[in-house]
């Protein structure tokens, strides 16, 4: 073990300014910005590469078999508002047992599957194309441009499904009224199972956590391919279908500034305390805000703190959060 110390380095202190004002000292403001800037390096994939997650020991409160008591508490709520509060005592005990098992399981009991890559491949394959299809589907156009828009969307649908389009999948010339589009089912099956077929076919031994990951990939690709195949086979471009799919997936890759920031800006996701400066002491009480813990936090039910949204901020002086 090596002892590492920073005591021989100059320390940078970022003071607390009054109200929502930035500090007056340009150097302090620059240090505050650079702290936030360096933290943002890990916001996008692959994140913090110096820490390697053990996916074979994943324990999730979204596991409906492990934690069924939370399922009804999430109904009708956005993911922002999902909480562990209200979990049953039986589910707490199951989670603790699962975590204890994951911590003591020897590496030889895991499959060796690179789950990080499996999950990322799905995101890479579909994220940008779904985003473009949503953009095209929701454009407001005159009648003459609608046909061109539909062609563009169809071309992108075909591109998504091209690796899974088997020769036998062709609409029947004699059954043009087939509203179920059953002829496209082979394409849907290939699309929905391609990312997990080899894992299932080889009968790989999986830990309970890996079974959960496998289920997540299968359900995710099933829903993506269902929506895309339906739009492709029917020829109907329904913007609401793509929008609902993107909302359901809720991938972090779509959390970004729109429009993109300029060269003198960076995209910043408001993160406490940067962007949430402490309130100034009142005239009646000149005590430090640190003496009152409640004053350190903005109202969690209002504004950016409840629904933080990415925004462009300047990389050069004058800074602003």
């Amino acid at each position: 073990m090596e002892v590492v110390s920073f005591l021989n380095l100059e320390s940078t202190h970022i003071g607390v300014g009054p109200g929502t004002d930035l500090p007056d000292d340009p150097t302090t403001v620059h240090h505050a910005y650079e702290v936030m800037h360096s933290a943002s390096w890990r916001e996008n994939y692959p994140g913090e590469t110096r820490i390697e997650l053990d996916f074979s020991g994943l324990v999730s409160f979204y596991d409906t078999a492990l934690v069924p008591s939370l399922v009804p508490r999430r109904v009708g709520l956005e993911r922002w508002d999902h909480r562990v509060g209200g979990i049953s005592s039986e589910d707490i005990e199951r989670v603790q047992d699962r975590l204890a098992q994951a911590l003591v399981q020897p590496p030889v009991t895991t499959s060796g599957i690179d789950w990080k890559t499996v999950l990322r491949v799905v995101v890479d394959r579909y994220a940008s194309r779904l985003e473009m299809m949503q953009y095209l589907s929701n454009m407001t156009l005159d009648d003459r441009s609608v046909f061109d828009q539909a062609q563009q969307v169809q071309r992108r649908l075909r591109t998504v499904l091209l690796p899974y389009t088997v020769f036998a999948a062709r609409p029947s010339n004699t059954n043009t009224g087939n509203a179920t589009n059953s002829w496209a089912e082979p394409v849907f099956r290939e699309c929905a199972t391609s990312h997990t077929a080899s894992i299932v076919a080889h009968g790989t031994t999986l830990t309970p956590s890996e079974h959960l990951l496998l289920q997540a990939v299968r359900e995710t690709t099933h829903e993506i391919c269902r929506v895309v195949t339906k739009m492709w086979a029917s020829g109907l471009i329904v913007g609401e279908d793509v929008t609902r799919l993107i909302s359901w997936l809720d991938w972090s890759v779509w959390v970004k500034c729109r429009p993109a920031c300029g060269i003198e800006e960076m995209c910043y996701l408001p993160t406490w305390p940067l962007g949430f400066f402490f309130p100034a002491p009142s005239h009646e009480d000149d005590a430090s805000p640190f003496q009152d813990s409640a004053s350190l936090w903005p109202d969690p039910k209002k504004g950016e703190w409840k629904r933080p949204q990415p925004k462009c901020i300047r990389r050069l002086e004058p800074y602003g959060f």
Side-chain angles (χ1 to χ4, degrees):
M1 179 179 295
E2 180 184 0
V3 177
V4 178
S5 173
F6 294 103
L7 294 179
N8 61 322
L9 300 180
E10 181 181 355
S11 177
T12 299
H13 297 281
I14 300 176
V16 176
T20 57
D21 296 337
L22 288 170
D24 293 329
D25 177 23
T27 301
T28 302
V29 176
H30 177 72
H31 286 160
Y33 166 78
E34 286 301 330
V35 168
M36 176 205 61
H37 181 212
S38 60
S40 71
W41 300 338
R42 312 289 183 258
E43 291 177 355
N44 299 319
Y45 181 85
E48 176 53 86
T49 56
R50 293 170 294 184
I51 299 174
E52 185 174 348
L53 297 179
D54 180 8
F55 284 82
S56 67
L58 173 73
V59 179
S60 173
F61 287 96
Y62 285 104
D63 186 343
T64 56
L66 183 67
V67 194
S69 64
L70 291 181
V71 174
R73 295 185 173 275
R74 294 193 293 261
V75 174
L77 296 179
E78 293 183 76
R79 193 168 301 180
W80 298 95
D81 300 316
H82 292 180
R83 300 292 184 270
V84 181
I87 185 174
S88 68
S89 58
E90 295 82 5
D91 288 358
I92 293 176
E93 185 175 350
R94 274 195 297 269
V95 169
Q96 291 174 334
D97 290 343
R98 176 68 61 80
L99 180 59
Q101 294 171 11
L103 291 174
V104 300
Q105 67 185 11
V108 294
T109 62
T110 66
S111 68
I113 295 173
D114 184 357
W115 288 104
K116 182 178 181 179
T117 298
V118 172
L119 299 171
R120 189 62 197 185
V121 164
V122 175
V123 175
D124 286 343
R125 182 173 292 273
Y126 297 111
S128 63
R129 286 169 174 162
L130 288 175
E131 187 176 31
M132 178 56 71
M133 282 188 281
Q134 181 189 39
Y135 168 76
L136 291 172
S137 301
N138 293 330
M139 289 178 64
T140 302
L141 303 169
D142 55 50
D143 293 338
R144 189 171 58 180
S145 302
V146 170
F147 181 71
D148 178 63
Q149 174 202 32
Q151 283 187 318
Q152 291 195 53
V153 175
Q154 276 295 321
R155 278 195 290 269
R156 281 151 183 82
L157 292 170
R158 286 198 298 269
T159 300
V160 171
L161 296 174
L162 187 60
Y164 319 114
T165 306
V166 297
F167 287 116
R170 296 181 181 276
S172 172
N173 293 329
T174 60
N175 189 16
T176 56
N178 184 3
T180 62
N181 295 311
S182 58
W183 61 271
E185 288 181 6
V187 179
F188 163 72
R189 285 196 301 269
E190 289 291 328
C191 176
T193 61
S194 63
H195 295 281
T196 57
S198 61
I199 299 174
V200 176
H202 293 157
T204 308
T205 301
L206 305 176
T207 66
S209 298
E210 290 180 306
H211 276 292
L212 178 63
L213 290 168
L214 176 61
Q215 177 186 347
V217 176
R218 295 176 76 171
E219 292 182 359
T220 298
T221 53
H222 180 282
E223 183 62 11
I224 293 172
C225 296
R226 182 192 69 82
V227 172
V228 171
T229 305
K230 183 184 74 172
M231 294 176 62
W232 169 70
S234 65
L236 297 177
I237 311 304
V238 183
E240 290 81 359
D241 288 347
V242 182
T243 298
R244 279 195 296 267
L245 175 61
I246 288 178
S247 177
W248 179 76
L249 292 170
D250 198 20
W251 286 339
S252 61
V253 70
W254 292 316
V255 179
K256 56 186 177 181
C257 292
R258 304 169 189 269
C261 303
I263 188 62
E264 294 187 5
E265 299 174 316
M266 67 163 284
C267 189
Y268 168 59
L269 181 63
T271 306
W272 190 93
L274 297 175
F276 297 105
F277 292 94
F278 305 123
S282 63
H283 294 294
E284 294 79 12
D285 181 12
D286 293 331
S288 167
F290 285 101
Q291 295 180 7
D292 178 9
S293 60
S295 69
L296 299 180
W297 299 88
D299 189 337
K301 298 181 180 180
K302 295 181 180 179
E304 286 185 321
W305 187 239
K306 183 175 176 62
R307 295 288 189 271
Q309 296 298 321
K311 59 184 179 181
C312 295
I313 63 172
R314 286 183 55 79
R315 299 177 62 184
L316 302 174
E317 296 86 345
Y319 297 111
F321 297 99

